[in-house]
Each structure stands twice: as structure tokens, then as C-alpha cells.
Amino acid sequence: MKFISNMAGVRKLLRPVFWTLGFAALLALGITMAYLYAAQTTPHGKRSIKALGDNVLISFDEVDIPHIKANSQSDALFALGYLHATERSWQMEMNRRIASGRLSEILGSETINIDRFIRTMGIKRAAEHQFDKYPVATKRLLQAYADGVNAGNAHLGWALPIEYFLTGSKPGHWSPTDSVAWMLMMALDLGGNWHKELQRLELSRVLSTKQIWEVMPPFEAEPVTTMDFAKLYKDLNVFNPQAGPVNSRSKKLPATELSDIDIPGSKDGIGSNNWALSGKLTASGKPLLANDPHLGLSAPAIWYFAHLDAPGLNVLGGTLPGIPAVILGRAENYAWSFTNTNPDVQDLYIEQIDTQNTGMYRGPDGPLAFKVRQEIIDVKGAPSVNLLVRETRHGPVISDSYARAKRAIDTNRFALALRWTALDIENQSVAGLLELNRAKDMDSFRHLLRKNYAPMQNVVMADVDGNITYQAAGVAPKRQLRHGLYGVAPALGWDKQYDWHGYVPFEQLPSSHNPEQGWLATANQRIIAANDPNPLTGDWDLSARYERIVDLIKAKSSHDIDNMKMMQADTLSLTSIPLLTLFKASAPTHPLGSKAVELSKNFDGNMRVDSVGALIFNAWADHLTRNLFSRLGYIFHETYGERNYRGALLGQIQNPNSPWCDNPKTEAQETCLDASNDAYNKALEYLSKEYGNDPSKWTWGSAHIAISEHRPFSKIPILGKLFNLRTPFPGDSNTINVGRLELLRSDQPYETLQAPSLRAIYDLADLDKSLFIFQSGQSGWVQSNFYRNMMPLWAKNEYLPLQMKPQNIKRSLELVNK
């Protein structure tokens, strides 16, 4: 009885605690329900807005594409800005802060390095100077879009996307220059030649120029320059005597653009595929056009599809939240597509500092003063950072803000400055996009491409009249083959021969119209104009994707939309085929070796999700690459994944006794077969630890996971699982259906963070039969059904309709002028 009495007393004492906990749970549930009810994840109904010129009707079709019907172009762009803000508010806030170097204000010290670099580059500052030169009419359109963004954010009320609550922040004010700055960030992400220049400088410390060309082989048999740049740097003694590894990337931030190692534009393989078939090669007798841009995967995706319909404007396709235009898509009678041309529009310059007066540096005709400005980076939870940014006559000094550049040279005597076309005050690429969206036909569209400045793009177009056209569009420095360094390695800033002398005229850029062969294709391979023998860069991508596209086009005399789908889904890796002889000649001694060899004997280079051979092969190729090139030390370990070294590997295995195959740590002289056997054993050891001791259960899809990373929560436990999108994915770094491997950049080396960011197929026989897909969904609200609804379709190469005149409208939103 005493026990029962005591228990009753305990219950009596705990009753207030239970009531408190229960009340707290009910309160939390109530707040959650109120939030979910108030959050405007599917905007609809009627909204009254002061800044609007006239009423705008927005109809959402069955795949959640908004069709904006407006009485003026400014109202259409206002409505697009409104949708970008209401659907992708947090993404836009991140875009704004990335481009202006203001991430640390809400994310703390983890992002100081990226803020420091972007402030040094002067992205927002350049955008403001460029915007000042924009035509008045264009400024008004950009202002209308910005007004729409700010109105959209204001209408969200208190129930903001969850990310704002987790970071203790609110949407900031969007200005027209934020759109220009985001366009510059896209140009930076697509123009990474300077990283290759920096790597050649780093390698020059330990290798000869000949050896550097073996590690970073030229596209052609002969390099575009004959200069012995490694000797040049050694003779000048430019190197940092204390060179060593830089701090590793942040473990708390996504690998996409948010840490010191992952400066935008640092990766190989940021490109795309596009191709057009004329009517002579199609079942309908009209052109087919395909496009799949290869960009970093993010959640939500970088794309938001929309239809803009206003007097003089009728376009449908992929927009980028932050930029008031359809970037890729179609008009009423033609369609267009982009891939990255990969021109060399960035040069590093070694500037010699006057050690007696460090405010001066050596110019071609005598000492020059650094231009200096102060930047203050506010940091959440920490003191502000005062940053002095130096500039030379070539551009900003990046060795003051980028750890790898600072490590490479003796910064007491030298500095590394960057010259980049996109920072030119003449750059008006956003204005050019707005004009492209108003083009009446393909001919006028092609003519207006001369207004594109940066990034330079391979534009493939097709129209309903049966024409197919290619045009490279953008600016690139004039260079003379075999003269100077041709931009492949840092130049001497005080020597006039390395200065730029104008840009290639638009009329001399590569182009083609209705070629006799009946097709056009680009995949970041070498593009050369018939009237100019000098290539636009010395650093083209491997041509495997382009060659595979051409093979598939030539394999059939008549193509239809289903053929285009199959081509975009193709996963045969042409850069793997030359390695298969060595792979299959290998004899691993690992206990699982005989079973692995048996399971891989029929592997043909096709990187299917369900392939056992694909996983074994890729692990073997990975470890073989490490065997050959890890002797480069920290330079290899910091860049393997940023660079995939496949070209270098293919070059070396052609010689069975290549010195790169020899293990420098042993007295024996190893051959490439010896290196291959060792790599096979290492691969099996890794795979057995990760996936178990039954190789028959190993599949490429279990390791090759496509991850769409959220900014900035992708690496945070629980939050990462909530916000990130993951799915098994086929392909490799060089397949048409690309899935670029992360390798040493990740603890899971065969995952992919870069793949087709969207796929589109345009049928010029009936443009409303066109198709699209991307890897997340239209919504940026994590609780929305449209946050991730496209992911399973995208992974399996399935598509959604892309129609200007949809049959089914699911909801509508009317913006009404107050």
C-alpha cells in the first residue's frame, strides 16, 4: 500500500510536467499547422500590387509551368520576378548573397573565404558599373523584374521558407544590379580556364614543361605554345618556398561553390550537349533539336520553367531565378539551345612587386601603383573582416584571397592578377538576353547573338521552316597560334607581348547554316572557324561525348523524338573503351579477384545503373589514376575530381613501359600492367569494404548516386536528408548522359554532383510536342509536392510536355493593379 501511495504522489508531482509537455507539444503542432497553412507554396487566387502597370493572369499547367499573360513586357517580367520570389525565395537570397560576397552575414565564418574571393573579383561592383551603361529601356525592364521580386517576397508574410528561420534571416532587397551580378556568376561558373593555368604553375615547381603536358595533355598532338614555361618560372624563382597543402574544404557546406577549394569555375566538365537534325534526317521532315546543360546539381534546381506572353514577347523555357529572361527554350516558330564554348577568356598574370615600395608593381614602361579598395565583410557571430583588395592593370589580385594562388607563388615578391572578359564595363549580356527573347524569327535571333558578351556559348537553333543553324556567341581574346603562352599558363605582367590585343570579331566566330550533312552538334569539343585557324582556347574538353553523338546520328537514316530520348539517355563511355584491354588483361590477387574478373569479362564501357562491371571498372580506373599521378602530392590530391586526369591516363597507357606507371617507392621497374594489377587489388579492397564480399551484388547505381545539394544545409545531419535529393544514376564523366565523378573531392568518390541539369527536346514539326525534364521540381519549398516530383522521371530519362497552349490548367494567379 505504501508503494501505491508513493506512486500516486509521484504522479501528482509529475502531473504539471506532463501538462507542460503536452501543452508544448500542442503549441508546436499548432504553430506547425499554422505555418503549413499560411506558407504560400502554391500561389493562386488574386493579389493586389501597387507597382504593377496592368493586371496579369498567370495560369499553371498540369506540370506546374506558369503561363504569364501580360499587356506589357515590363508587367510580364514583374510577374516573373514575383514568381521567382514566391517559388524560389531562399534560392534567390542565396544567389544575391553569393554574387555580392555577403554569405557570412547569415552563415558565419564558414563562408568568409568565398566572400573574400567574390569581393576580390568585384562581381557586384562590376555589375553596378556595367548597369550604368545599359540602355534606359533595359534598365526599366530590369527594375520591373526587381520590383516583382520584392513584391513577391513581401507577400510571403511571416510564413517564409524554412531556411530563413534556420538561419535567422529575412529576404533582402533585390536590385537590378543583382540580376547583372548573377549573370556574371554564371559566366564565372562556366569559365574556368584560369584554374588550369594555376595548376600548370603549381606543377612547374616539380615537373618540366614536357612532363606537365603529359599530366595535362594538349587537345592536339602539339601544344598551342612552344614556350618552356616551367623553365621560365624556375629561372624567375616565382615559387613560394613554403608551398604545401591548403586547408581542406568545409565539411559543413555543399561542394557547389561554397568553400575555398570550390571556387566557381574550378571544375572540368561543366558543359553541355546540343544537336539539331534537319528534316532530311527526321521522320517528320522537320528539324529536331536537343539540349542538356551539364551544371552542378542543386535542390531546388537552378532552372525554373516559365512562359512569357506579352506584346512582342512570346517565349517558353528555362529561366534562372535572378535573371529576367528565358535562357533556353522556344518561341512560336523556332527553338534554341546552349552549350559552353569553353573559350579562353581568363588569363593569369604574374606581377612583380617592388620590394622597396610594396604599393608598386612592375609595368612594361616602369613602376605602376596598385589600385586599392577596402571591403568590409560582416560575419554572423564574429568580428567583421577588413579586406584590402588590390588591382593591377590586368585585373584583381587573386593571390590575396585564394589560398591555392597564394600558396603557389612567393607573395613577398610576386602577385597573381586575373584578366577576365566578363568584368569589362562593355559587358551587357543581360540586355542581350532580353533582346533575344523578343526576336521574331531565327534569323533575327542569330543576329542579336552578337550582343552576348559572357559567357560565350555554342548556340544551336532550328525553326519551323526547316533551317538548322550554329553560332558561337560571345567575346574572346585574339590569340596567335604558337605565339607566346597562348593563355595556357600565367604570363609575365610586365611584358607587353602577353597583353590582349582586341577580341575576335563576331563575323570570325565559328558558325554554320544548314550544313550538307544535315546535322549540327556540340559537346564542348574543339570548335574552329573556317576563316580563322586559331583555336579559341588551348584547353578543349575531351571529344568523347561529341563523337558518341555523331556516331548515334549516323547510325540511323531517320530519327524521331524517341531516338532523341535514347541519345540523351546513352551511357556508353568512349574514354573507357581504350582502357578495356589493360583492364581485362589484369590479374588481381585479391581473394575476390577471380569472381570480379568473371563478372567483368563482358563489360563494354556502358555505364548502366545495374552493371556490376561498370562499378568494378570505375574503381579500377580510379585507383590506376591514383597509382600513376598521386606522386604529384598535394597538387594531385587537391585537384583529382576537379580534373579527372582521364586524358593523361589514356596517353600514358599507350606505352606499356611508361615511366608514370613505375612506382617510385620501390626499387623494381613496374610496367603499366603491374600498376594495373595493383590498382585492381586496391579497387577490390575498397569495394568489398563498402559493398560487401559478394561482387555479384555490386552495381554501378549503388555507388554512382546523383545528389542535388541544398545550399547551405546539404552537409548538416537530418537537414541534409530533408533538403537534399538523391537517386542512383548511370553514366560517367564522359558519357552523353553525363554523371561526373567526384573522386578525391568526396568521401564517396563515385557519387555525382554534376549531371544534366535539364533535358529538352524540341519538335519543329509541332513545337507543342516538345519535352523537358530537370532533376528536382518547380518549387523551392521543401514541404511542397513540386520540390522533388521530377527527380524519378529525370533519373529514368522520362519527360514532361513543354507546351505554350496546354490543355489542362490546374490553378491560376491574378496580379491586380491597386
Side-chain angles (χ1 to χ4, degrees), residues 91-197:
Q91 183 182 39
M92 290 195 70
E93 180 67 8
M94 289 296 287
N95 292 352
R96 184 181 70 85
R97 288 186 174 277
I98 290 170
S100 57
R102 296 180 57 190
L103 285 169
S104 301
E105 293 176 4
I106 61 170
L107 299 181
S109 57
E110 286 281 347
T111 55
I112 289 175
N113 285 340
I114 188 67
D115 281 347
R116 182 184 286 118
F117 179 78
I118 295 301
R119 296 283 189 99
T120 297
M121 292 290 288
I123 297 293
K124 185 65 185 292
R125 187 166 174 266
E128 291 168 346
H129 291 161
Q130 292 168 3
F131 181 75
D132 286 343
K133 300 285 186 179
Y134 271 42
V136 173
T138 304
K139 288 182 178 179
R140 288 173 179 165
L141 290 174
L142 284 167
Q143 185 64 58
Y145 173 80
D147 290 343
V149 173
N150 294 320
N153 276 326
H155 280 201
L156 290 177
W158 71 271
L160 296 169
I162 297 171
E163 293 94 332
Y164 287 110
F165 297 107
L166 294 173
T167 57
S169 61
K170 293 182 179 180
H173 179 79
W174 190 274
S175 71
T177 57
D178 288 319
S179 293
V180 179
W182 190 241
M183 187 70 180
L184 289 177
M185 287 301 301
M186 293 304 299
L188 182 60
D189 202 33
L190 293 169
N193 170 266
W194 71 270
H195 285 269
K196 294 178 181 178
E197 292 186 40

Side-chain angles (χ1 to χ4, degrees), residues 55-73:
N55 296 357
V56 177
L57 179 63
I58 306 171
S59 304
F60 294 82
D61 65 23
E62 60 186 348
V63 298
D64 207 43
I65 293 178
H67 298 261
I68 299 170
K69 181 70 174 177
N71 292 326
S72 70
Q73 293 181 19

Side-chain angles (χ1 to χ4, degrees), residues 325-371:
V326 170
I327 309 297
L328 300 171
R330 50 159 290 208
E332 293 175 88
N333 55 11
Y334 65 92
W336 72 95
S337 62
F338 289 166
T339 71
N340 201 18
T341 313
N342 277 345
D344 185 353
V345 296
Q346 299 168 333
D347 278 359
L348 289 179
Y349 287 89
I350 299 173
E351 309 285 14
Q352 188 170 16
I353 300 171
D354 184 342
T355 55
Q356 301 303 312
N357 182 359
T358 56
M360 309 292 288
Y361 68 98
R362 182 180 175 184
D365 302 312
L368 296 170
F370 286 103
K371 292 181 181 178

Side-chain angles (χ1 to χ4, degrees), residues 633-691:
Y634 64 82
I635 299 173
F636 175 79
H637 287 92
E638 289 176 2
T639 60
Y640 183 43
E642 175 184 301
R643 309 275 171 256
N644 64 29
Y645 289 81
R646 180 54 59 90
L649 182 63
L650 291 173
Q652 293 313 307
I653 66 161
Q654 293 178 12
N655 174 11
N657 298 306
S658 167
W660 289 95
C661 289
D662 178 45
N663 184 350
K665 296 179 180 179
T666 67
E667 294 183 3
Q669 188 78 21
E670 285 86 5
T671 65
C672 289
L673 183 58
D674 294 327
S676 175
N677 289 334
D678 180 66
Y680 213 140
N681 288 327
K682 291 176 179 175
L684 295 178
E685 185 64 23
Y686 170 79
L687 293 174
S688 61
K689 287 181 179 178
E690 290 290 318
Y691 305 106

Side-chain angles (χ1 to χ4, degrees), residues 262-330:
D262 298 293
I263 294 297
S266 65
K267 301 176 184 176
D268 282 339
I270 293 186
S272 310
N273 303 317
N274 63 3
W275 64 89
L277 308 180
S278 73
K280 68 170 66 175
L281 296 180
T282 68
S284 70
K286 292 288 187 177
L288 289 168
L289 174 65
N291 191 196
D292 54 294
H294 305 158
L295 300 170
L297 301 178
S298 62
I302 67 168
W303 300 103
Y304 178 82
F305 269 63
H307 176 199
L308 305 176
D309 185 1
L313 176 69
N314 194 11
V315 286
L316 165 64
T319 71
L320 295 171
I323 298 177
V326 170
I327 309 297
L328 300 171
R330 50 159 290 208

